[in-house]
């Protein structure tokens, strides 16, 4: 559907008795909130009472959604412009939902958009949490979550073990410095076995003669990130790590997006280092 068609649809909805959507500068407390993707769903379901939520994304109740239990009974909507416009929201919350032009489009038709954004480290994650909570007019709830994260980090820092950990996924991918997963590892008081920056294949050659103290196994509990074709994870050297080393399962819901739930992964790794 063309942009012109969508704009005409918005005009028609207004002419058919729909109350005009307030501009961002004039908007009061948002009472008709729509979330466009499961990363945004986490924040909306965490901070907003259900009577203010018009709809969340179809992925809100999936197994990789941290707030899946809270999604029960909440309507869903496809991240498609015409479907969202029919709901007449006064705030759209998104991370990637609706595509790269979504924020611009909704702004053109007068619907404020709250972008979750991405964070490279836990400090920025906490800043984002407060910013989004403020955008939802839930400052106190956001402050409580941030304070709890700070407390949990301090408690972990007091019992750091310093062991090495290798992050592994079913697709045979790991990661080094410069990623949020690396920040999770260091926040747990551990050293990243993968010293090369960015996302890479599991270092099979290195694992043949040197092993980490701990394996952080992510997404293994679901079919997410499970390739049908061959991957480094199917190599005997990689599979041996899951049987011989201390394995800490990391749920996909803990690391799929950036938010307070990352602390569950930090604490799981820190606890696993004690064994």
């Amino acid at each position: 559907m063309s942009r012109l068609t969508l704009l005409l649809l918005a005009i028609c909805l207004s002419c058919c008795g729909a109350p005009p959507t307030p501009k961002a500068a004039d908007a009061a407390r948002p009472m008709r909130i729509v979330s466009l993707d499961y990363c945004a769903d986490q924040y909306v379901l965490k901070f907003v009472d259900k009577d203010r939520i018009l709809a969340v994304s179809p992925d809100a109740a999936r197994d990789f959604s941290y707030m899946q239990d809270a999604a029960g009974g909440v309507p869903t909507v496809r991240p498609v412009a015409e479907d969202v416009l029919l709901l007449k929201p006064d705030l759209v919350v998104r991370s990637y939902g609706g595509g790269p032009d979504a924020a611009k489009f909704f702004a053109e038709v007068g619907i404020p958009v709250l972008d979750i954004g991405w964070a490279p480290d836990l400090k920025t994650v906490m800043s984002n949490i407060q910013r989004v909570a403020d955008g939802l007019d839930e400052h106190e709830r956001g402050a409580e979550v941030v304070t709890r994260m700070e407390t949990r980090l301090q408690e972990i820092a007091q019992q750091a073990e310093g062991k090495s950990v290798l992050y592994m996924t079913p697709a045979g991918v790991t990661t080094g410095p410069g990623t949020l997963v690396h920040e999770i590892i260091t926040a747990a008081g551990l050293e990243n076995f993968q010293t090369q920056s960015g996302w890479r294949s599991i270092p099979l050659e290195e694992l043949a003669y040197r092993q980490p103290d701990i394996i952080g196994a992510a997404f293994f509990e679901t079919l997410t990130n499970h390739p049908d074709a061959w991957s480094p994870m199917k190599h005997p050297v990689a599979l041996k790590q899951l049987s011989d080393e201390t394995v800490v399962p990391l749920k996909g819901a803990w690391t799929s997006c950036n938010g307070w739930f990352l602390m569950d992964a930090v604490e799981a790794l820190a606890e696993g280092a004690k064994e």
Side-chain angles (χ1 to χ4, degrees), residues 88-275:
K88 307 169 191 173
D90 59 13
L91 180 67
V92 167
V93 186
R94 66 181 294 274
S95 177
Y96 59 86
D101 295 328
K104 181 180 179 182
F105 168 77
F106 287 116
E108 287 176 350
V109 297
I111 301 175
V113 175
L114 178 59
D115 277 300
I116 300 300
W118 181 245
D121 52 54
L122 291 175
K123 181 179 179 180
T124 309
V125 168
M126 289 186 281
S127 177
N128 261 356
I129 290 171
Q130 190 61 68
R131 176 182 59 81
V132 175
D134 289 347
L136 296 169
D137 197 24
E138 294 291 352
H139 178 84
E140 292 302 323
R141 292 186 182 184
E144 289 176 5
V145 170
V146 171
T147 298
R148 179 57 183 152
M149 282 187 70
E150 292 172 338
T151 300
R152 293 165 77 180
L153 284 170
Q154 291 170 2
E155 292 172 349
I156 292 171
Q158 295 172 1
Q159 51 188 6
E161 292 286 336
K163 295 181 178 179
S164 64
V165 58
L166 176 64
Y167 176 82
M168 298 175 70
T169 71
V173 175
T174 188
T175 186
T179 65
L180 190 52
V181 170
H182 177 79
E183 296 295 321
I184 291 171
I185 292 171
T186 57
L190 305 173
E191 295 181 2
N192 196 339
F193 183 82
Q194 174 63 275
T195 57
Q196 292 183 292
S197 63
W199 293 90
R200 298 175 177 275
S201 293
I202 295 169
L204 295 174
E205 295 83 359
E206 187 175 3
L207 288 173
Y209 62 86
R210 187 172 76 92
Q211 288 76 46
D213 298 311
I214 299 168
I215 297 296
F219 297 99
F220 282 85
E221 85 282 5
T222 71
L223 294 179
T224 303
N225 206 14
H226 287 235
D228 293 327
W230 186 91
S231 80
M233 193 57 240
K234 295 185 178 181
H235 193 284
V237 171
L239 293 174
K240 186 174 184 292
Q241 310 306 309
L242 297 180
S243 59
D244 290 355
E245 305 301 323
T246 300
V247 177
V248 177
L250 301 176
K251 294 182 180 180
W254 296 348
T255 58
S256 294
C257 300
N258 68 106
W260 63 95
F261 31 84
L262 293 171
M263 285 304 306
D264 287 16
V266 175
E267 289 177 338
L269 288 171
E271 191 64 29
K274 299 176 184 179
E275 299 180 1

